[in-house]
Amino acid sequence: MMKSGRANFGSKLGVILASAGSAVGLGNIWRFPYETGNYGGAAFILIYLGCVLLLGLPIMLAEFIIGRRSRANTAGAYQVLAPGTHWRWVGRMGVLAGFMILSFYSVVAGWTLEYVFEALGNGFAGKTPEEYIQSFQAFSGNPWKPIIWLVLFLLGTHFIIVRGVEKGIEKSSKIMMPMLFVLILVLVGCSVSLPGAKSGIEFLLKPDFSKVDGNVFLGAMGQAFFSLSLGMGCLCTYASYFSKDTNLTRTAFSVGLIDTFIAILAGFIIFPAAFSVGIQPDAGPSLIFITLPNVFQQAFSGAPWLAYIFSVLFYVLLALAALTSTISMHEVVTAYLHEEFKISRKRAAWFVTGGCIFFGVLCSLSLGVTKGFTVFGMGMFDLFDFVTAKIILPLGGMLISIFVGWYLDKKLVWEEITNDGTLKVRLYKVILFILKYIAPIAIGIVFINELKIL
Ligand code: PFF
């Protein structure tokens, strides 16, 4: 569907699914569990939920407002709404974040492809937990294999981007998201019924606040922004394809709910299983890759064919969930180059794909061959993750909330939230209060505390 010369999403469900497709990805199933493990479990989850509710949802709505009102890419949006001001730097910073996240994210997305093939070849059967750990380490440290998968993944993303918004993004989300959801539910059932799963469930439900420090807050905040695709104009770019009658508040709630629910469910797959086979919850980025093969083998030990089918299906769906997210990041940068530099969409997309392959390769190597080479004590992979999730995204979120809360004309904000007065949004005043005061102050305090800015 084309309106005013710009592509639109075709249906209401398409709007929600495409945005949820961006939000739901490796952030929920790979990053959320390992950050929860790193930061000690239930207390982190509670703080995370607070961040989603207090910062995530209002800022998502703010991004929707900016995107739909301006109908432009994230940097162009500020030119439309605040012409001649420095606000466009918020958009540009988002584009940079999108590019950086896509680079390291594609490394992990590539790992999921390796695991699809491992599962297809029945490679998980009959291994001990130790062997899963060893084979993951051997694979991720290998100089070639992860790079080949990373390149393939980026090329897959590239071709969907070139096919355009409705045909590519919307259609794929509509099929994949519900399938992933059902499979996750089945796996939760399997995982919590493993022997010894109880301590994993306790880890998720019994908060221990003695371990909470400023670092946990920064981690939870960063994870909320990363998981909800916020702070870099991604949902702002998607909202530029929304139609006039999309209910922005309801869409933000639906996307936030789906995303959070899936992250929590992922926790209920990983931790009961990890405790059951004695894998440490703070194993880091490898956590899901060493825990999940155990779940499949142990939960279906009486029916190996079920273990086979579930493991293949799971990794295929995980790769697809990652794909709907990489598409959204790629779109942010491609739309920016295409609209701001007036180059064709196809060319813009090639620049993004090529650049991400370059930095992606460096990120991938930093986990293996170039491990000793660090900046601020971090390899390239960890550095890109840290700088984006813990600095640029929250900072972007803070500036976006200030932009909508303070800079934009209140009439415009009201028109967008209520669709020109046709919707009744009871939380309007609360949302505005959060955007004006709570979000900027809360993010500022976490920054000052943790990054030692003052
Ligand atoms: N939200 C995605 C995930 O959880 O996997 C990752 C992501 C996508 C982050 C798009 C940022 C973004 F703009």
Side-chain angles (χ1 to χ4, degrees), residues 115-446:
Y115 273 62
V116 167
F117 280 84
E118 189 83 6
L120 276 172
N122 207 13
F124 299 131
K127 281 189 180 159
T128 62
E130 270 313 305
E131 285 171 320
Y132 291 126
I133 297 178
Q134 280 159 9
S135 56
F136 176 79
Q137 280 167 349
F139 161 70
S140 62
N142 179 302
W144 291 110
K145 260 189 168 177
I147 289 178
I148 295 171
W149 290 127
L150 144 86
V151 172
L152 283 177
F153 206 94
L154 277 167
L155 288 178
T157 307
H158 176 94
F159 287 111
I160 298 187
I161 283 290
V162 173
R163 286 187 68 201
V165 177
E166 190 175 333
K167 266 197 230 128
I169 302 175
E170 188 176 343
K171 238 188 205 153
S172 33
S173 302
K174 263 187 190 162
I175 308 166
M176 292 171 335
M177 295 284 303
M179 263 175 86
L180 179 69
F181 188 66
V182 173
L183 194 71
I184 285 179
L185 283 180
V186 174
L187 289 177
V188 170
C190 295
S191 188
V192 296
S193 51
L194 289 175
K198 221 175 125 224
S199 14
I201 300 175
E202 270 175 21
F203 181 76
L204 288 167
L205 296 180
K206 272 203 183 148
D208 173 4
F209 286 103
S210 66
K211 292 198 190 100
V212 172
D213 56 13
N215 212 0
V216 178
F217 278 91
L218 183 65
M221 186 170 86
Q223 176 59 25
F225 280 98
F226 188 91
S227 187
L228 294 168
S229 304
L230 288 182
M232 52 160 273
C234 179
L235 293 181
C236 166
T237 302
Y238 268 25
S240 73
Y241 307 121
F242 287 2
S243 68
K244 269 213 104 23
D245 57 359
T246 302
N247 183 334
L248 298 185
T249 318
R250 196 179 293 159
T251 305
F253 268 104
S254 312
V255 173
L257 198 71
I258 295 172
D259 188 73
T260 308
F261 197 47
I262 293 198
I264 302 283
L265 289 180
F268 276 92
I269 299 177
I270 306 297
F271 290 107
F275 277 83
S276 161
V277 290
I279 288 173
Q280 290 304 316
D282 59 356
S286 63
L287 185 65
I288 68 160
F289 292 94
I290 54 185
T291 309
L292 278 170
N294 279 301
V295 180
F296 301 122
Q297 297 313 313
Q298 300 222 351
F300 304 106
S301 55
W305 62 275
L306 264 183
Y308 180 83
I309 293 177
F310 272 106
S311 49
V312 173
L313 251 180
F314 181 81
Y315 285 110
V316 168
L317 289 174
L318 184 59
L320 292 175
L323 184 65
T324 48
S325 301
T326 53
I327 290 169
S328 71
M329 289 174 240
H330 202 298
E331 177 63 25
V332 170
V333 194
T334 301
Y336 168 72
L337 294 179
H338 168 57
E339 290 176 9
E340 297 300 302
F341 295 92
K342 310 277 177 273
I343 52 176
S344 74
R345 232 184 112 79
K346 213 171 168 182
R347 248 183 112 192
W350 273 122
F351 274 120
V352 182
T353 305
C356 285
I357 289 179
F358 178 77
F359 285 103
V361 167
L362 295 182
C363 287
S364 179
L365 291 176
S366 75
L367 298 170
V369 225
T370 60
K371 215 177 196 157
F373 184 74
T374 58
V375 181
F376 300 121
M378 286 178 266
M380 184 107 159
F381 183 99
D382 293 332
L383 187 71
F384 271 32
D385 181 305
F386 180 85
V387 169
T388 51
K390 293 190 179 146
I391 299 180
I392 304 186
L393 299 188
L395 181 63
M398 182 188 201
L399 294 171
I400 287 167
S401 61
I402 294 174
F403 182 71
V404 173
W406 293 93
Y407 183 86
L408 276 187
D409 180 9
K410 290 297 136 321
K411 187 164 165 281
L412 181 158
V413 175
W414 181 83
E415 281 169 5
E416 285 303 316
I417 292 187
T418 64
N419 287 357
D420 292 327
T422 56
L423 299 173
K424 232 182 137 179
V425 180
R426 264 177 291 150
L427 289 177
Y428 176 75
K429 285 214 169 106
V430 180
I431 295 168
L432 220 64
F433 184 77
I434 295 179
L435 287 175
K436 258 184 131 151
Y437 302 104
I438 310 254
I441 294 174
I443 298 172
I445 290 177
V446 177

Side-chain angles (χ1 to χ4, degrees), residues 78-79 81-89 92 403 407:
Y78 293 93
Q79 307 268 49
L81 299 176
T85 65
H86 286 301
W87 282 107
R88 63 181 182 281
W89 285 99
R92 289 180 182 164
F403 182 71
Y407 183 86

